[in-house]
Amino acid sequence: MTRPLLEVRELRTYFSIGRGGFMRRKSVLKAVDGISFSIHEGEVLSLVGESGCGKSTVGRTLTQLETATAGTAMFDGRDILNLTHAEFRPLRRDIQMIFQDPFASLNPRLSIEQMLAEPLFIHRLVRDRSEARERIAATLELVGMDAKSMNRYPHEFSGGQRQRIGIARVMILTPRLVIADEPVSALDVSIQAQVLNLIKQLQRDSGVSMLFISHDLGAVRHISDRVAVMYRGALVETGEKRQIFETPRHAYTRKLLDSIPRLEKRIA
Amino acid sequence: MALLDIRNLDLRIARGSELLPVVQGVSFAVEENETLGIVGESGCGKSLTALAIMGLLEGSAVRIAGGSVHFQGRDLLTLSPEERRRVMGDQMAMIFQEPMTSLNPVYRVGDQIREAILQHRSMSRRQAHDRALDLLELVRIPDPVRRIDSFPHQMSGGQRQRVMIAMALACDPKLLIADEPTTALDVTVQKEVLELMRGLQTRTGMSIVLISHDLGVISETCDKVAVMYRGRIVEQASTSTLFSNMSHPYTLGLLGSIPATDHDVEWLDAIPGRVPTLDEAVPGCAFHPRCFAAKGSCRTVDPGAAAVSPAHFVRCHFPQGSSS
Amino acid sequence: MSVPLSIALVFRRRALATFGMCWLLIVGIAAIGAPLLAPFDPLEFDPFVRLSDPGWPHLFGTDHFGRDSLSRAIYGARMAILIGSGSVLIALVAGGLIGMLSAYFVRLGHLLMRIVDVLMAFPALLLALVLMTLLERSVLNTVIVIGIVYATTTARIVFGMTLKLKRDVFVDAAICSGARHASVLFRHILPNLVSPMLVQASFIFAFAQLQAAALDFLGLGLPPEVPSWGNMLSEERIYVTRAPWLLIFPGALIILSVFSMNLVGDALRDNIDPRFKNDIAGV
């Protein structure tokens, strides 16, 4: 088998809670405590778990929004955890992140054009504004938005549309790895389905690799190739999607699957 | 006679000088010991309906424009605020989505439960304390003798929701209204809380109105379901009838939007478009711009509620399933 | 609210704020048109009309040098605007930068904010007095000193707001796009601070008036010959029984202007991002 695009080994991210100081002891929260996984080119790996299990911290550490305490993450042969912020900056084009809250993740003071043009100019992917506008228009259409929306501001859009804009901001850079942190959980049921379909479609068409972080087992089954189940900072089980959902080995995975309210019970 | 009988409830919200309809012609009944589920997306009016029943809309921008809410034979909308207060918390109680913000962070949970009891029952503080202890045991809080002196922030989300349920049950209400009680909780905790609610219902014989956006939760917990879209009940039936014979295109769309966990689907049958905002007027059926079955009359005529089978009502010109 | 403040929204159905704005406009007009509006030269002595009662031609009366009080009051509006805007500018630029940088760069923040804390331990007037005694009496120095005094409170407020904004997801998103620190600070965070800073500015403007008047009164502010409301109070204070109007007029002008600016500030505050409402509790 070829070398994976991303290979994470024994990743640990600890936070110190409370400022240690006079008469106070510093305590450590082990948000991520030694997890290993890999993602191949064009593959979707889901990280599933309940709130507080550390799954979001994994994504935030891989994008250097948090600092890793230990471990390695080889991306295309380079350890991205050892890079300084400045060294990591050019790599941000390849490693992009979709955020959960479509209301908080778009700067209210920037127009959609300003927002989408920013990464293009940072990474020198366009020469001038007209070229940027062309690319923005094409990307907006790719995510199912009208190209004219680039002249408007975030507050003019609904949650689903905002999340599409968030996805456009990611896809406009043609990244190689997308980290999607609960990308649909803030949306209404009917909008969730649209956005899940869109993410799946874009992933297929572009062949981008993806780390899909979610607590929603349905969404995970819909979108991923492989699944890693996380519990209290560690992975309890990793496997092919069908294996995880149909023949779960770990007791926690089984408990998780058993807890999903079923529709079919009554239908039968 | 039904315990709770709502007829043609109309709610309007004040926007500037206008009054925009947010809930229109909502009617349903809840029998004793029965669970009714109200399912719909945000802004469909399901929570406002609950607040109207509880009389919690006073002071908000929402007005009750018409209809009746009969509880044990009395129309709550005609009661004086004083009479109403006596019914609330005693005969009916409500629990909310966010158990952290519904509990006062500066009081111990035991004190809060005790206050809830003493507001409606005359007993000594000692007796109220014992009753609070019983309630914590009833909602299966581990080690209640110690937990009764905890502050809300010392408990997990699931435990806080159990405390909320204990407070709601303080006076053995006949009706419990639960507004998204498990949405903020993890699935494993959600399962426990739902099981707890079902168990309590069997024990006390109370009725429950469960409001949720999650069809799965509704299907596991409820005897009857009302599906709401943009302020109207678009489909209403017993849970088994609804899930075996879904008729409204919106209900079908909701079901198609949920990714299954027990088999693989290539693409989800998502409902296109988005819910129109309040000030966007939609002529005809409110769902027609997003509906796969919309034809000419859907764009002009608002369909009334019609029975496709006994006790199965659909608000649609072209109900699915039954005809095919 | 995510859209910028709209002036119409701020003043609609707010009679007091509208009154405040009108008064400030009058002060503004007086300041700009002082040479045309003032009936006499504010510096010209006239020994024949010392301490004359209000009446024609000296509407506000004259002081003990025989200078026309109305003319001095009109020129005083110039000083009021100059001192207000000057100290607002210094306080916002210096305080804003210190606050933003301290919140964004944690280590630097530990150092800078401790200095701010030390300065804030002094009561505002005392700090101004200490600084003024080190400097010469001049308009520029007065502006600088008052600016520094309010830069400390501004730094604290901006520090808190930037900490909140820094945790916002859109800042993470900007970082993930590859934005540099300068871009995150000035392109993503700063525009979100503009409306609350505007509110802060209006309060500083008001308090700077009081502060300047107090310095003048204590003989440490503007040079005595400069016509300012504070100097008018200070110079004529011994005539309070013989010619009370010499104190009543400038005193009323100070109170009215401070009050007006506060009313405008309150109205502005009601329209900003609710998250920041409690950060700006005056200066």
Side-chain angles (χ1 to χ4, degrees):
Chain A
M1 214 172 178
T2 53
R3 187 178 66 185
L5 178 70
L6 175 74
E7 188 159 23
V8 177
R9 285 279 159 265
E10 288 298 313
L11 175 68
R12 281 165 216 275
T13 308
Y14 295 172
F15 298 111
S16 51
I17 345 174
R19 243 186 284 160
F22 186 61
M23 302 284 279
R24 262 194 297 179
R25 223 184 317 145
K26 226 178 191 172
S27 59
V28 169
L29 173 75
K30 299 180 174 180
V32 180
D33 200 13
I35 74 167
S36 306
F37 61 86
S38 58
I39 304 176
H40 284 85
E41 295 271 3
E43 185 183 50
V44 182
L45 173 76
S46 280
L47 204 51
V48 68
E50 294 184 290
S51 56
C53 74
K55 57 189 190 302
S56 288
T57 310
V58 174
R60 293 177 61 84
T61 308
L62 292 175
T63 46
Q64 282 208 0
L65 291 172
E66 309 291 353
T67 312
T69 312
T72 58
M74 305 300 283
F75 178 80
D76 205 17
R78 281 173 85 186
D79 183 3
I80 51 172
L81 299 182
N82 267 335
L83 302 178
T84 64
H85 284 277
E87 288 168 332
F88 186 60
R89 195 170 292 123
L91 271 171
R92 291 201 181 274
R93 192 203 150 175
D94 292 327
I95 305 175
Q96 278 288 306
M97 184 139 169
I98 303 175
F99 294 90
Q100 170 176 3
D101 187 345
F103 288 88
S105 62
L106 307 181
N107 188 340
R109 307 275 153 176
L110 296 184
S111 74
I112 307 308
E113 181 188 342
Q114 287 172 313
M115 202 165 342
L116 296 185
E118 185 178 26
L120 289 178
F121 284 109
I122 289 171
H123 297 284
R124 305 215 163 90
L125 300 178
V126 290
R127 275 181 310 249
D128 52 28
R129 189 166 168 217
S130 69
E131 203 179 325
R133 284 178 69 94
E134 250 169 64
R135 190 131 166 201
I136 292 168
T139 313
L140 282 174
E141 268 157 30
L142 194 69
V143 299
M145 299 274 296
D146 190 344
K148 272 180 260 158
S149 22
M150 76 169 89
N151 301 318
R152 295 161 63 191
Y153 282 82
H155 67 88
E156 298 173 58
F157 296 98
S158 67
Q161 290 170 314
R162 284 170 185 234
Q163 199 53 304
R164 285 174 193 268
I165 294 166
I167 294 170
R169 175 169 59 189
V170 162
M171 295 311 291
I172 202 164
L173 289 171
T174 55
R176 296 171 66 192
L177 173 68
V178 170
I179 296 169
D181 186 3
E182 300 271 12
V184 297
S185 55
L187 306 173
D188 263 325
V189 182
S190 72
I191 307 299
Q192 276 191 10
Q194 294 174 4
V195 175
L196 274 180
N197 277 345
L198 173 70
I199 293 176
K200 191 170 183 174
Q201 183 75 56
L202 290 173
Q203 192 276 329
R204 289 232 180 132
D205 295 350
S206 64
V208 66
S209 307
M210 189 182 299
L211 178 63
F212 187 85
I213 299 166
S214 179
H215 72 281
D216 181 341
L217 290 150
V220 165
R221 174 146 199 170
H222 184 65
I223 217 142
S224 38
D225 301 311
R226 282 192 308 129
V227 179
V229 183
M230 198 164 169
Y231 180 69
R232 292 198 176 174
L235 291 185
V236 297
E237 185 169 2
T238 309
E240 294 297 317
K241 170 170 71 177
R242 289 192 77 124
Q243 181 260 306
I244 294 281
F245 278 90
E246 278 155 30
T247 53
R249 292 198 192 102
H250 196 278
Y252 177 70
T253 314
R254 281 198 294 273
K255 185 181 177 195
L256 215 50
L257 287 167
D258 277 346
S259 302
I260 309 166
R262 306 238 174 239
L263 295 158
E264 282 73 13
K265 270 185 193 165
R266 296 295 188 106
I267 294 176
Chain B
M1 186 181 65
L3 178 74
L4 178 73
D5 193 353
I6 296 185
R7 297 268 167 86
N8 280 320
L9 185 68
D10 268 332
L11 302 178
R12 274 155 212 256
I13 189 165
R15 272 283 169 82
S17 55
E18 273 179 303
L19 280 176
L20 302 169
V22 278
V23 165
Q24 289 179 76
V26 160
S27 305
F28 58 80
V30 186
E31 305 291 334
E32 300 215 354
N33 202 15
E34 187 180 56
T35 304
L36 168 84
I38 304 180
V39 67
E41 296 177 280
S42 52
C44 73
K46 56 189 193 300
S47 292
L48 287 178
T49 305
L51 294 176
I53 301 171
M54 290 299 292
L56 295 175
L57 289 177
E58 241 153 90
S60 76
V62 181
R63 310 258 173 289
I64 296 171
S68 63
V69 177
H70 281 272
F71 179 70
Q72 292 179 316
R74 288 201 293 177
D75 188 354
L76 295 181
L77 300 183
T78 60
L79 293 185
S80 72
E82 186 46 47
E83 288 173 303
R84 195 138 193 176
R85 232 186 324 273
R86 235 173 287 144
V87 177
M88 268 160 53
D90 187 10
Q91 306 285 319
M92 50 160 98
M94 184 160 178
I95 54 176
F96 298 90
Q97 171 175 345
E98 201 11 90
M100 190 67 219
T101 48
S102 328
L103 285 171
N104 191 332
V106 300
Y107 293 110
R108 298 174 196 278
V109 293
D111 296 341
Q112 299 193 46
I113 301 175
R114 208 177 53 199
E115 281 313 302
I117 300 168
L118 290 176
Q119 260 176 18
H120 295 279
R121 295 280 185 277
S122 52
M123 53 171 85
S124 72
R125 293 181 78 77
R126 186 71 240 166
Q127 285 171 309
H129 183 86
D130 292 343
R131 171 92 177 116
L133 213 55
D134 289 346
L135 284 165
L136 285 181
E137 212 158 310
L138 188 71
V139 295
R140 283 183 252 146
I141 296 255
D143 196 3
V145 181
R146 210 167 52 84
R147 279 318 208 168
I148 199 164
D149 289 326
S150 297
F151 286 99
H153 69 265
Q154 294 169 321
M155 306 185 116
S156 70
Q159 283 184 332
R160 285 196 292 261
Q161 195 57 289
R162 284 164 194 270
V163 171
M164 286 308 299
I165 295 174
M167 279 173 74
L169 297 182
C171 300
D172 300 308
K174 291 259 173 260
L175 177 68
L176 178 69
I177 298 178
D179 187 2
E180 303 266 12
T182 58
T183 306
L185 306 177
D186 281 320
V187 270
T188 50
V189 185
Q190 163 171 289
K191 186 181 175 165
E192 292 165 12
V193 170
L194 291 177
E195 272 168 9
L196 171 70
M197 285 173 61
R198 270 197 302 261
L200 291 172
Q201 184 175 34
T202 330
R203 250 174 95 164
T204 63
M206 65 178 172
S207 308
I208 299 178
V209 175
L210 178 73
I211 294 167
S212 179
H213 68 283
D214 187 334
L215 266 181
V217 168
I218 296 277
S219 106
E220 280 216 332
T221 343
C222 301
D223 306 305
K224 289 198 301 197
V225 189
V227 183
M228 285 188 77
Y229 184 76
R230 242 201 147 211
R232 288 181 181 283
I233 293 182
V234 293
E235 185 161 10
Q236 185 168 193
S238 74
T239 310
S240 52
T241 313
L242 186 91
F243 281 91
S244 57
N245 189 17
M246 278 195 184
S247 299
H248 198 284
Y250 177 66
T251 319
L252 286 161
L254 268 189
L255 189 68
S257 295
I258 303 169
T261 48
D262 53 1
H263 62 277
D264 288 310
V265 216
E266 187 69 10
W267 300 108
L268 299 171
D269 291 323
I271 307 171
R274 58 176 176 84
V275 181
T277 57
L278 268 184
D279 33 19
E280 290 175 69
V282 182
C285 170
F287 187 60
H288 88 256
R290 306 177 72 189
C291 182
F292 61 85
K295 296 189 186 81
S297 56
C298 300
R299 292 179 191 100
T300 49
V301 186
D302 195 6
V308 284
S309 67
H312 182 184
F313 295 93
V314 180
R315 206 178 267 277
C316 180
H317 291 304
F318 307 103
Q320 307 295 304
S322 49
S323 52
S324 62
Chain C
M1 196 173 75
S2 53
V3 280
L5 284 175
S6 100
I7 296 302
L9 203 72
V10 171
F11 293 106
R12 194 195 307 155
R13 273 185 259 149
R14 277 199 182 83
L16 275 175
T18 314
F19 161 79
M21 197 66 224
C22 289
W23 174 251
L24 292 171
L25 275 178
I26 293 171
V27 174
I29 290 167
I32 296 166
L36 299 172
L37 293 169
F40 296 90
D41 182 337
L43 300 176
E44 195 188 69
F45 294 175
D46 185 350
F48 300 106
V49 290
R50 289 180 67 230
L51 299 175
S52 64
D53 292 354
W56 192 256
H58 300 288
L59 289 176
F60 280 19
T62 56
D63 64 12
H64 72 288
F65 289 122
R67 292 177 297 197
D68 178 48
S69 269
L70 176 65
S71 305
R72 285 182 74 75
I74 290 175
Y75 273 89
R78 270 194 168 179
M79 280 301 126
I81 301 269
L82 191 69
I83 289 185
S85 3
S87 27
V88 161
L89 193 73
I90 292 173
L92 288 195
V93 172
L97 269 179
I98 292 172
M100 271 174 67
L101 294 175
S102 299
Y104 192 76
F105 300 107
V106 181
R107 270 165 214 275
L108 179 73
H110 280 313
L111 177 73
L112 286 180
M113 290 320 286
R114 288 307 81 77
I115 297 174
V116 168
D117 286 344
V118 169
L119 289 177
M120 280 182 76
F122 293 95
L125 185 61
L126 186 63
L127 180 61
L129 281 176
V130 170
L131 292 173
M132 269 326 280
T133 47
L134 300 175
L135 298 165
E136 214 176 301
R137 286 180 78 169
S138 78
V139 179
L140 182 66
N141 283 346
T142 307
V143 166
I144 291 175
V145 164
I146 297 175
I148 291 174
V149 168
Y150 291 116
T152 57
T153 44
T154 308
R156 261 270 152 233
I157 291 165
V158 172
F159 178 74
M161 291 190 296
T162 310
L163 273 187
K164 279 183 202 168
L165 285 167
K166 192 183 152 189
R167 280 194 292 265
D168 266 357
V169 190
F170 69 78
V171 170
D172 285 342
I175 294 170
C176 282
S177 293
R180 285 161 193 277
H181 294 315
S183 163
V184 172
L185 269 172
F186 295 107
R187 193 177 143 86
H188 292 274
I189 290 179
L190 183 61
N192 287 285
L193 291 172
V194 168
S195 333
M197 295 282 273
L198 203 64
V199 180
Q200 172 72 0
S202 66
F203 289 124
I204 295 179
F205 194 98
F207 280 83
Q209 303 303 323
L210 284 178
Q211 198 71 257
L215 286 175
D216 289 350
F217 195 80
L218 295 169
L220 284 168
L222 305 175
E225 68 278 8
V226 174
S228 78
W229 298 336
N231 273 346
M232 289 169 75
L233 276 181
S234 164
E235 291 192 349
E236 312 304 324
R237 64 181 183 273
I238 52 170
Y239 302 101
V240 63
T241 45
R242 261 182 73 188
W245 58 87
L246 288 176
L247 285 94
I248 290 171
F249 285 123
L253 289 173
I254 293 171
I255 291 170
L256 210 54
S257 303
V258 171
F259 186 54
S260 298
M261 208 63 218
N262 274 322
L263 290 175
V264 173
D266 277 336
L268 288 171
R269 176 163 57 190
D270 288 344
N271 284 282
I272 59 168
D273 191 330
R275 282 191 306 168
F276 297 140
K277 223 167 248 184
N278 294 327
D279 287 319
I280 302 170
V283 282

